[in-house]
């Protein structure tokens, strides 16, 4: 009797605490499902990830032979062959783990429903919880792992993936994004063959210059925009990462996590180690479906102010570089305001008292205004901004210092350095990286923003730059036997600072920049409003880069600026219309000297800015449909945004090459309502009175999507482009 009573109390307690012991766990979003099996005392198994299924379908998944027989988190030691998600060495030298399920908890958080599978080792006091979160209102499920060392002695983690899962083998293609400074986010697509394909970064601070921690994987052939079954995944980590596709004939598995190379982690007794989230989605509507799911998720949960329209800004960098002064800034604000601009951002060059920042080789860390250049201080600039009716923002690079700076003179121990070796220096031969593993340094970095905001609460925006990678692998703060934590603790320190900034300054708009597009990842973006896509503002190259970055990141976050007619990076000369038409597909801005524009260009810029304001909600919150890829060598690229109600859309087309009698393909539109009628408006005619031939015409959605629009007549000459609005008519 006592036993029965105890059992009932246990069941009731379990139900109330949300802890359940069922075998199958079906985690679903509106269009996707993930199925796990977790039974106490047994291994946790990953069974299915794909289109949404219902509980009644679970048996069919098993009966069909489609269910995977793979552990949801395979560990090293008992079974040693094949890839493992985790490998550790215990204090006694034993290198094995053997985890079985202890319990499963399911609970709801504000942003999603969580399933937590708690596993424990049979011998060692080692507990690992694997989490899955289905984000509300999205088709994104994320997974991550938390490790608890319940013992007294430390255990060293040599491998620690956030996610590990099998994928159906077939004609699998991988889409990923590679590049370098000035050429970030270039798309690469390749068929997966036997062997391991690794996408990794080792730069330490900014992880997306050379490759982005995101990928898509098709299950049924060459990647298509609106057809086919595609899995997309991204690792929410701002440091070194490692994504691996392991293919062995019929077997394909993905593992994703922090790059463990030179980063083994010593977990002391009683401590917990939380690994970053890996977020994934599954689409039956090609890559487009993956992108739209991630865009929505980002705007809802992983970006600051994801539901707020972004201002049109002018950044001073390419206009004046380091030659900042009060009159020049005032003039830029006035001229930009006259074009309809809303926010002025003063870039590098404004600070340094003892050492004025005239070049990229001094003053970082000395975040006081350079009185020689700006005798009226930030106050003077804020006054100018007010006078010209624009908001004001400025540039900082708070994680850095220079050998020539007051900060470094005071705190030489605050930089990452290897004892006994000469310091490595970055930009200008003088730049050093502050040691963010050190809480004192974290306080300093926080105080950079806090100090400026306290003194000048009128600052609306900050561009947070990082122009160095992690060079010297040594910290004077971390103990000698914990130096291998540098890569990880740096980013935890950064996160800690950003959390404090966000808590105190929730309204401040922050741009993530790292020598251009080095910090485009969902580890850092939750603290930022947007990112600087690339230091290369050449409109032609931007078509390719913005296409690449649009695969995982929403337009509202994509800093896209119109720069000088002769581009400063490539030397290419393009018409102002082309430059605007390209920048208008992201978060529009300008990065040039407005006073150098002639009257005709100013008139065009005024119209283009007004047109962008008119369609801004469609561009920044609409669903993206990529129509013709610049990577497909058709000579054009085209994309469009459509409102969820399908009552408005904005269509873009760009000519990428120009030959006599070249074939210019027509473009089929997508995402519209086939039964609605849409009126076309040319948003950026080169001459105000001469819109393109489609202007004013009305088409049924079905016709636009089935037949499309002919482009040959619209795209005449070099760097031709069109931006068209589609508005539903009754
Ligand atoms: C690198 C950034 O990407 C540029 O936009 C500019 O802010 C410079 N740094 C300033 O030094």
């Amino acid at each position: 009797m006592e036993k029965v009573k105890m059992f009932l109390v246990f069941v009731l307690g379990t139900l109330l605490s949300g802890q359940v012991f069922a075998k199958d766990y079906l985690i679903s979003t509106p269009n996707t499902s993930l199925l796990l099996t977790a039974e106490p005392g047994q291994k946790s198994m990953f069974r299915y990830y794909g289109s949404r299924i219902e509980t009644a379908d679970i048996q069919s998944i098993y009966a069909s032979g489609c269910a995977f027989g793979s552990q949801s988190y395979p560990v090293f030691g008992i079974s040693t062959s094949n890839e493992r998600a985790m490998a550790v060495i215990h204090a006694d030298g034993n290198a094995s783990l053997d985890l079985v399920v202890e319990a499963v908890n399911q609970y709801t958080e504000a942003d999603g429903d969580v399933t937590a599978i708690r596993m424990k080792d049979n011998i060692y006091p080692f507990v690992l919880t694997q989490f899955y979160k289905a984000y509300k209102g999205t088709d994104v499920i994320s997974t991550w792992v938390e490790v608890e060392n319940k013992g007294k002695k430390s255990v060293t983690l040599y491998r620690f993936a956030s996610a590990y899962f099998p994928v159906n083998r077939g004609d699998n293609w991988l889409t990923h994004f590679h590049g370098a400074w000035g050429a970030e986010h270039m798309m690469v697509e390749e068929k997966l063959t036997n062997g391991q394909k690794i996408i990794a970064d080792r730069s330490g601070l900014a992880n997306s210059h050379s490759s982005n921690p995101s990928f898509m994987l098709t299950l049924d052939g060459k990647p298509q925009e609106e057809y086919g079954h595609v899995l997309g995944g991204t690792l929410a980590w701002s440091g070194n990462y490692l994504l691996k596709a392991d293919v062995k004939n019929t077997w394909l598995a993905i593992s994703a996590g922090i790059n463990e190379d030179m980063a083994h982690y010593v977990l002391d007794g009683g401590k917990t180690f939380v690994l970053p989230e890996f977020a994934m989605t599954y689409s039956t509507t090609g890559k487009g479906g993956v992108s739209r799911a991630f865009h929505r998720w980002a705007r809802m949960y992983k970006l600051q102010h994801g539901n707020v329209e972004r201002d049109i800004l002018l950044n001073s960098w390419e206009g004046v570089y380091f030659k900042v002064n009060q009159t020049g800034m005032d003039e830029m604000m006035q001229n930009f305001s006259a074009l309809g601009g809303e926010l002025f951002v003063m870039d590098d060059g404004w600070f340094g008292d003892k050492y004025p920042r005239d070049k990229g080789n001094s003053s970082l860390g000395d975040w006081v205004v350079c009185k020689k250049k700006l005798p009226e201080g930030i106050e003077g600039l804020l006054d100018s901004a007010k006078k010209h009716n624009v908001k004001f923002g400025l540039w900082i690079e708070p994680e850095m210092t220079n050998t020539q700076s007051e900060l470094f003179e005071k705190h030489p121990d605050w930089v990452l350095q290897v004892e006994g070796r000469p310091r490595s220096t970055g930009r200008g031969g003088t730049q050093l990286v502050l040691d963010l593993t050190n809480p004192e340094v974290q306080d300093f970095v926080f105080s950079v923003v806090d100090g400026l905001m306290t003194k000048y609460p009128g600052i609306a925006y900050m561009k947070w730059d990082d122009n160095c990678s992690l060079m010297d692998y040594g910290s004077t703060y971390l103990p000698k036997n914990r130096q291998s934590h540098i890569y990880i603790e740096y980013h935890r320190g950064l996160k800690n600072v950003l959390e404090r900034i966000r808590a105190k300054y929730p309204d401040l708009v922050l741009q993530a920049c790292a020598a251009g597009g080095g910090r485009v990842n969902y580890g850092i973006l939750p603290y930022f409003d947007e990112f600087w896509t690339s230091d290369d503002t050449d409109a032609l190259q931007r078509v390719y880069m913005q296409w690449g970055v649009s695969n995982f990141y929403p337009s509202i976050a994509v800093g896209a600026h119109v720069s000088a007619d002769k581009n400063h990076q490539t030397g290419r000369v393009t018409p102002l219309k082309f430059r605007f038409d390209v920048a208008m597909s992201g978060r529009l801005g300008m990065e040039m000297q407005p006073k150098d524009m002639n009257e005709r260009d100013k008139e065009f810029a005024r119209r283009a800015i007004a047109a962008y304001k008119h369609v801004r909600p469609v561009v920044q919150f609409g669903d993206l449909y990529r129509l013709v890829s610049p990577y497909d060598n058709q000579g054009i690229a085209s994309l469009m945004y459509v409102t969820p109600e399908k009552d408005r859309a904005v269509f873009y087309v760009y000519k990428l090459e120009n030959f006599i009698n070249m074939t210019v393909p027509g473009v089929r539109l997508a995402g519209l309502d086939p039964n609605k009628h849409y009126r076309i408006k040319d948003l950026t005619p080169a001459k105000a009175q001469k819109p393109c031939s489609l202007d004013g015409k009305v088409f049924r959605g079905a016709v636009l999507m089935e037949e499309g629009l002919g482009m040959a007549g619209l795209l005449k000459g070099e760097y031709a482009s069109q931006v068209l609005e589609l508005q539903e008519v009754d």
Side-chain angles (χ1 to χ4, degrees):
M1 187 58 201
E2 199 45 34
K3 270 191 182 159
V4 172
K5 228 163 83 188
M6 268 169 65
F7 176 73
L8 287 176
V9 169
F10 174 70
V11 168
L12 197 66
T14 297
L15 288 176
L16 289 177
S17 72
Q19 210 170 67
V20 283
F21 289 104
K23 194 171 170 252
D24 292 314
Y25 292 90
L26 186 61
I27 299 162
S28 291
T29 67
N31 297 296
T32 73
S33 290
L34 192 149
L35 179 65
L36 303 158
T37 318
E39 232 179 324
Q42 305 293 313
K43 300 280 177 203
S44 164
M45 304 298 283
F46 187 99
R47 299 299 191 191
Y48 169 86
Y49 181 50
S51 299
R52 186 182 163 106
I53 55 168
E54 306 305 328
T55 308
D57 301 320
I58 292 177
Q59 282 322 309
S60 323
I61 293 289
Y62 290 121
S64 69
C66 287
F68 293 109
S70 163
Q71 289 178 40
S72 69
Y73 200 79
V75 290
F76 182 86
I78 297 303
S79 169
T80 55
S81 62
N82 296 325
E83 282 296 310
R84 302 282 125 190
M86 178 163 286
V88 308
I89 300 190
H90 302 280
D92 61 3
N94 185 313
S96 71
L97 279 176
D98 188 12
L99 302 178
V100 292
V101 175
E102 193 180 36
V104 179
N105 265 297
Q106 290 189 296
Y107 52 90
T108 295
E109 291 184 341
D111 54 356
D113 297 325
V114 180
T115 301
I117 306 168
R118 190 177 155 90
M119 306 172 214
K120 65 174 176 57
D121 190 80
N122 283 331
I123 300 174
Y124 287 90
F126 187 97
V127 172
L128 182 144
T129 309
Q130 188 174 29
F131 295 87
Y132 291 89
K133 181 188 271 190
Y135 278 89
K136 282 184 192 154
T138 78
D139 276 319
V140 172
I141 294 177
S142 80
T143 178
W144 71 99
V145 159
E146 187 181 285
V147 184
E148 292 166 79
N149 180 358
K150 295 278 195 191
K152 288 204 168 64
K153 294 185 181 146
S154 55
V155 47
T156 306
L157 280 62
Y158 286 93
R159 176 170 292 198
F160 35 90
S162 289
Y164 174 93
F165 56 93
V167 180
N168 274 323
R169 187 79 174 103
D171 187 9
N172 306 107
W173 287 64
L174 193 67
T175 305
H176 49 123
F177 308 92
H178 282 259
W181 174 89
E184 296 92 334
H185 330 294
M186 301 296 280
M187 189 173 82
V188 178
E189 307 206 291
E190 59 190 300
K191 189 175 162 76
L192 275 183
T193 51
N194 277 328
Q196 292 197 332
K197 175 75 194 178
I198 285 174
I199 303 170
D201 186 76
R202 277 289 313 268
S203 45
L205 298 195
N207 69 13
S208 63
H209 264 132
S210 62
S211 55
N212 197 278
S214 315
F215 66 90
M216 294 192 201
L217 183 60
T218 67
L219 304 185
D220 46 10
K222 211 160 179 245
Q224 308 277 338
E225 276 300 335
E226 294 301 324
Y227 304 98
H229 296 70
V230 188
L231 186 153
T234 186
L235 185 76
W237 179 241
S238 53
N240 294 349
Y241 63 84
L242 182 71
L243 310 175
K244 201 186 289 176
D246 184 29
V247 191
K248 286 192 202 90
N249 298 323
T250 56
W251 173 250
L252 165 56
I254 296 292
S255 74
I258 291 176
N259 192 332
E260 304 99 347
D261 195 7
M262 288 311 290
H264 55 274
Y265 199 88
V266 186
L267 190 60
D268 289 324
K271 295 278 186 218
T272 300
F273 184 47
V274 185
L275 295 169
E277 255 185 312
F278 174 78
M280 55 192 175
T281 192
Y282 183 84
S283 152
T284 53
T285 52
K287 292 183 287 182
V290 169
S291 300
R292 289 186 287 276
F294 276 113
H295 294 173
R296 189 177 167 78
W297 173 73
R299 287 193 304 259
M300 286 177 79
Y301 303 114
K302 296 290 167 179
L303 208 54
Q304 288 289 316
H305 315 116
N307 57 356
V308 178
E309 285 182 32
R310 302 309 196 235
D311 288 325
I312 301 169
L313 66 83
L314 172 70
N315 179 294
S316 66
W317 181 240
E318 289 194 26
V320 298
Y321 292 103
F322 292 101
K323 293 202 177 76
V324 164
N325 62 56
Q326 170 66 35
T327 327
M329 297 294 98
D330 183 276
E331 196 178 36
M332 278 183 124
M333 290 188 225
Q334 181 173 19
N335 291 335
F336 184 51
S337 177
L339 299 178
E342 299 164 322
L343 161 69
F344 174 74
V345 181
M346 175 174 63
D347 209 280
D348 202 347
W350 62 268
F351 54 94
D353 190 22
K354 180 170 169 192
Y355 303 110
R357 172 87 164 169
D358 293 328
K359 283 199 268 171
N361 64 355
S362 74
S363 328
L364 294 173
D366 303 347
W367 300 106
V368 287
V369 83
C370 173
K371 278 275 186 259
K372 256 205 302 203
K373 296 183 188 180
L374 297 162
E376 294 168 43
I378 302 288
E379 294 90 339
L381 297 164
L382 285 166
D383 285 348
S384 290
K386 201 163 169 201
K387 185 170 77 194
H388 300 307
N389 194 27
V390 288
K391 295 180 196 164
F392 178 76
L394 48 69
W395 178 96
I396 51 171
E397 193 176 359
E399 298 156 72
M400 303 289 155
T401 189
N402 288 107
T403 47
Q404 199 177 53
S405 71
E406 292 187 70
L407 180 74
F408 183 61
E409 283 167 359
K410 255 189 258 153
H411 298 289
D413 55 320
W414 275 10
V415 301
L416 288 169
Q417 53 196 281
V418 183
E419 212 183 310
R421 296 192 188 277
R423 281 189 193 91
S424 309
T425 46
R427 190 183 191 189
T430 60
Q431 190 159 329
L432 302 163
V433 182
L434 293 177
D435 180 1
L436 264 170
T437 70
N438 181 345
E440 234 188 313
V441 177
Q442 292 169 23
D443 286 347
F444 168 76
V445 176
F446 171 73
S447 79
V448 174
V449 174
D450 192 35
L452 286 164
M453 290 304 292
T454 307
K455 232 167 148 189
Y456 316 111
I459 294 174
Y461 177 108
M462 285 191 192
K463 171 174 174 177
W464 180 305
D465 205 346
D466 150 32
N467 290 291
C468 245
S469 32
L470 197 157
M471 298 166 294
D472 289 336
Y473 186 74
S475 160
T476 55
Y477 171 76
L478 291 175
K480 291 255 177 308
N481 59 358
R482 295 294 184 274
Q483 294 287 306
S484 67
H485 292 193
I486 289 176
Y487 282 134
I488 293 171
E489 292 305 341
Y490 185 97
H491 288 273
R492 286 179 159 180
L494 178 60
K495 192 171 163 198
N496 171 33
V497 172
L498 291 166
E499 260 160 20
R500 287 168 69 188
I501 291 172
R502 273 305 167 204
K504 192 154 177 196
Y505 302 105
D507 298 332
L508 178 66
V509 177
L510 282 179
Q511 181 188 67
C513 172
R519 273 192 172 157
V520 182
N521 62 67
Y522 284 115
I524 207 140
L525 279 177
Y527 307 99
F528 288 82
D529 298 70
E530 59 174 36
F531 53 83
W532 183 221
T533 312
S534 172
D535 271 350
D536 181 2
T537 53
D538 172 43
L540 181 66
Q541 200 164 345
R542 276 294 185 120
V543 171
Y544 295 82
M545 292 192 274
Q546 290 174 195
W547 185 277
V549 89
S550 78
N551 279 273
F552 278 86
Y553 303 92
S555 59
I556 192 168
V558 178
H561 296 179
V562 176
S563 58
D565 49 359
K566 181 164 184 205
N567 182 262
H568 291 190
Q569 293 79 41
T570 62
R572 197 188 322 278
V573 179
T574 53
L576 187 62
K577 173 174 163 57
F578 186 72
R579 282 174 275 143
F580 258 102
D581 285 357
V582 172
M584 282 172 73
S585 70
R587 194 278 289 129
L588 174 67
M590 292 178 78
E591 183 137 350
M592 59 194 291
Q593 179 51 278
K595 74 173 177 196
D596 292 346
M597 295 166 83
N598 61 33
E599 281 314 311
R600 206 187 51 219
D601 280 355
K602 280 188 187 156
E603 187 274 332
F604 178 83
R606 262 194 300 276
R607 278 194 286 115
I609 286 175
Y612 185 78
K613 285 180 187 168
H614 170 64
V615 292
R616 177 160 44 191
V618 186
V619 179
Q620 297 189 354
F621 307 124
D623 287 324
L624 170 69
Y625 291 85
R626 286 177 298 253
L627 306 172
V628 183
S629 169
Y631 296 88
D632 281 351
N633 299 321
Q634 296 194 60
I636 66 166
S638 180
L639 60 131
M640 65 190 286
Y641 298 101
V642 186
T643 60
E645 300 75 28
K646 299 189 184 297
D647 58 344
R648 285 182 85 192
V650 183
F651 167 87
Y652 304 79
V653 63
Y654 311 113
K655 198 162 175 207
L656 307 177
E657 51 191 35
N658 187 42
F659 300 108
I660 294 194
N661 258 333
M662 74 180 266
T663 310
V664 180
V667 179
R668 281 194 194 90
L669 278 59
L672 300 169
D673 182 330
N675 297 316
K676 284 185 173 164
H677 286 78
Y678 298 90
R679 173 168 290 118
I680 291 184
K681 179 177 161 59
D682 185 348
L683 284 171
T684 57
K687 289 193 183 127
Q689 306 314 326
K690 276 200 157 176
C692 74
S693 55
L694 289 173
D695 189 77
K697 295 205 168 120
V698 174
F699 297 94
R700 198 158 70 86
V703 175
L704 291 168
M705 293 194 289
E706 290 306 321
E707 294 306 316
L709 292 171
M711 288 293 132
L714 290 188
L715 298 176
K716 289 230 155 65
E718 204 161 31
Y719 304 120
S721 58
Q722 297 290 345
V723 182
L724 308 175
E725 182 190 7
L726 284 85
Q727 170 78 58
E728 181 188 353
V729 290
D730 302 328

